[in-house]
Amino acid sequence: MTTSTNGTGDVDPAVREELARLRDSIDNIDAAVVHMLAERFKATQQVGFLKATHRLPPADPAREARQIERLRALAESAKLDPAFAEKFLNFIIAEVIRHHERIAEDAVNGGSPTAN
Ligand SMILES: O=C(O)C(=O)C[C@]1(C(=O)O)C=C[C@@H](O)C=C1
């Protein structure tokens, strides 16, 4: 195994540079994920208002099944673990359903529905 230290306990500058370069890329990706999630939640908030207004149930299991099937296939072709993709989608959808329920409760309790 190669060592990443230079004998004085410091990390080799070349390794430090490579790590910094990779972390810059990770930071950019994390920022993109946050922005994409923010856009997704803006859209699902509108869905929540629409469902509350028309007395539709917060969850739609048939739609979720189609989304999971689609995302698993996309993950496979992108060489991402499909089980992870499914878990991630379920995690997001659970939060969306919580928001929908809150919006519906607010609508029932009078007044105009609010977000979160
Ligand atoms: O498409 C809907 O009906 C939504 O409410 C959005 C969404 C999602 O986050 O993708 C959330 C809850 C439903 O069970 C299905 C999908």
Side-chain angles (χ1 to χ4, degrees):
M1 200 179 93
T2 56
T3 176
S4 59
T5 59
N6 59 14
T8 63
D10 296 332
V11 176
D12 185 320
V15 172
R16 196 185 295 279
E17 270 172 38
E18 177 73 345
L19 186 57
R21 190 184 64 76
L22 292 167
R23 284 178 173 171
D24 278 351
S25 183
I26 290 167
D27 285 347
N28 284 344
I29 293 164
D30 287 349
V33 168
V34 165
H35 285 116
M36 285 190 290
L37 280 174
E39 284 305 304
R40 192 184 198 283
F41 275 96
K42 277 186 206 167
T44 56
Q45 187 182 337
Q46 294 308 305
V47 172
F49 289 138
L50 197 63
K51 285 183 168 181
T53 302
H54 298 279
R55 308 266 194 278
L56 294 169
D60 183 340
R63 163 73 174 151
E64 289 177 32
R66 291 194 301 274
Q67 287 168 285
I68 286 166
E69 193 180 1
R70 175 172 173 268
L71 223 72
R72 286 187 68 101
L74 284 172
E76 246 168 77
S77 64
K79 296 184 172 47
L80 176 73
D81 179 2
F84 171 74
E86 180 171 347
K87 248 195 296 186
F88 183 61
L89 183 67
N90 280 331
F91 179 71
I92 294 168
I93 288 178
E95 181 70 6
V96 170
I97 291 171
R98 206 179 60 77
H99 291 184
H100 286 358
E101 287 168 346
R102 178 71 184 274
I103 291 169
E105 272 168 32
D106 287 352
V108 165
N109 295 333
S112 54
T114 57
N116 297 313

